Amino acid sequence: MAEAKTARTYNQNHHPRSYAKGRRRMSIYVAWTYPGEANRPPTELDNRFSTMTEVRRVLWPAYEEPQWSDPSRFQQGISGSLELFYWAWVRFQQLVEEVTGYVVPVFQRVDQAGFSLPLDERVLGDVDTLLVFGLDHSVTGQQASAAEIEAVREFLRREGTCLLIGPHHDVGASPDMKERAVEHAHHGDELVPRQQRFGGYTRSLMKGLGIPVENRWGLRPAVVRGTTQAAPLSVVMDLDVRGWMRGVRRFNYHLHLPHYAVTTDDTRSVRVLAKQPIDLTRPHPFTSAGHTEFNALVWMPPSGDRAGDVLVADSTIFSTLFGVDESLESFWKNLAAA
């Protein structure tokens, strides 16, 4: 990861972007409380992010350069692993700025300095495509308020808007420890605890907006034989009339991705556009039930008084931590030029 070419700023207020026809304003909203995540006790086995020291141990020697290992240059606790997310979103932000001419701000529900920012007009007033990343551990208690739900509903009444919402995986939901062990053996990531339940905020927001989708499991994608590249997606091109998946063959590879279960039979209002093949060499309760793919991208076209689109997809596909190629960048460009 290269050093930034321009000076970085922090601790300042956002300057709203003016509307310009044909140019999309995109923003990222991370639905966590940064202090709530960073201050989780490292002695807790479950429902927390790894410390940077754990990341270095498991992924050794990938993060042994002084940039990551020197405690005078990079944080070694949980906060260090949180900062990796910000490093990894930079390429997405750069590409969108190249396409649209607008910077992509990143907002946090509660930031490092303790400033709280609910989803309201300060975030929604100057955005056309809003990405809400559900990386909040459910134990931190993040819930969308009635005012936030109404604010997002009002945002989606604007013509041409888009909400992309992405609760992360839900690992270890079962009280059965043996089942949790099977789940862990399936994805095989030593940085993921036996129970790691994400997305309390995004789940509550989806429920309030009437989005009939739930994040379930943490599933290991199949790969192209002899590589670590994710197997091609199964894309339903006939349903993709907006071209979200135009030129997109695969997303990046990640060991534990959520299945976005559709909880309604109304296939007109909710459309599964892309499914990801699962690694069937490793048992899992989901595949034991007969499933060979999980839902990776769900689309809700405008309906009723909702003029905007709703997409459900994981935040992982906006991160270079797990690889990036031309196919993934095509997806980013499709969003930026929608």
Side-chain angles (χ1 to χ4, degrees), residues 145-212:
S145 68
E148 289 178 284
I149 293 167
E150 182 53 38
V152 177
R153 185 177 288 116
E154 185 62 30
F155 161 72
L156 288 170
R157 291 189 181 111
R158 280 173 27 204
E159 194 74 32
T161 54
C162 178
L163 170 67
L164 187 146
I165 189 164
H168 200 31
H169 63 240
D170 188 20
V171 168
S174 171
D176 185 340
M177 296 296 185
K178 292 182 179 179
E179 183 170 307
R180 292 188 194 180
V182 171
E183 287 188 56
H184 190 269
H186 169 77
H187 65 69
D189 189 344
E190 291 303 319
L191 288 174
V192 173
R194 271 55 175 181
Q195 184 182 74
Q196 191 172 40
R197 308 196 68 182
F198 280 107
Y201 181 84
T202 40
R203 281 184 171 216
S204 64
L205 183 59
M206 290 194 296
K207 181 178 179 180
L209 295 172
I211 300 171

Side-chain angles (χ1 to χ4, degrees), residues 74-294:
F74 201 77
Q75 300 178 79
Q76 297 301 300
I78 290 175
S79 55
S81 64
L82 298 186
E83 292 301 327
L84 292 179
F85 286 101
Y86 292 100
W87 277 88
W89 289 326
V90 167
R91 178 56 192 148
F92 170 72
Q93 293 173 274
Q94 290 173 335
L95 183 143
V96 171
E97 184 175 356
E98 291 167 6
V99 172
T100 68
Y102 287 120
V103 297
V104 180
V106 178
F107 302 105
Q108 299 178 83
R109 187 162 179 75
V110 183
D111 72 8
Q112 289 91 329
F115 287 94
S116 178
L117 181 65
L119 269 182
D120 59 21
E121 186 63 19
R122 291 172 293 176
V123 177
L124 300 170
D126 76 322
V127 64
D128 304 305
T129 298
L130 176 67
L131 288 69
V132 180
F133 292 164
L135 290 166
D136 54 307
H137 282 87
S138 296
V139 294
T140 65
Q142 304 307 297
Q143 295 284 308
S145 68
E148 289 178 284
I149 293 167
E150 182 53 38
V152 177
R153 185 177 288 116
E154 185 62 30
F155 161 72
L156 288 170
R157 291 189 181 111
R158 280 173 27 204
E159 194 74 32
T161 54
C162 178
L163 170 67
L164 187 146
I165 189 164
H168 200 31
H169 63 240
D170 188 20
V171 168
S174 171
D176 185 340
M177 296 296 185
K178 292 182 179 179
E179 183 170 307
R180 292 188 194 180
V182 171
E183 287 188 56
H184 190 269
H186 169 77
H187 65 69
D189 189 344
E190 291 303 319
L191 288 174
V192 173
R194 271 55 175 181
Q195 184 182 74
Q196 191 172 40
R197 308 196 68 182
F198 280 107
Y201 181 84
T202 40
R203 281 184 171 216
S204 64
L205 183 59
M206 290 194 296
K207 181 178 179 180
L209 295 172
I211 300 171
V213 178
E214 291 181 358
N215 59 316
R216 297 177 183 170
W217 307 114
L219 296 158
R220 185 184 182 113
V223 297
V224 176
R225 185 185 296 273
T227 75
T228 57
Q229 188 177 59
L233 296 159
S234 299
V235 180
V236 187
M237 299 304 297
D238 291 346
L239 296 180
D240 187 22
V241 295
R242 292 290 301 277
W244 304 110
M245 295 295 292
R246 183 174 56 250
V248 183
R249 295 189 63 245
R250 62 173 52 85
F251 293 148
N252 48 7
Y253 180 68
H254 188 53
L255 290 175
H256 30 80
L257 290 168
H259 166 56
Y260 289 124
V262 176
T263 59
T264 178
D265 294 327
D266 184 359
T267 56
R268 291 179 59 86
S269 65
V270 185
R271 307 177 187 182
V272 177
L273 298 186
K275 295 185 176 185
Q276 179 70 57
I278 304 169
D279 183 346
L280 300 178
T281 67
R282 297 165 175 254
H284 189 279
F286 188 63
T287 56
S288 296
H291 303 282
T292 60
E293 299 175 310
F294 62 84

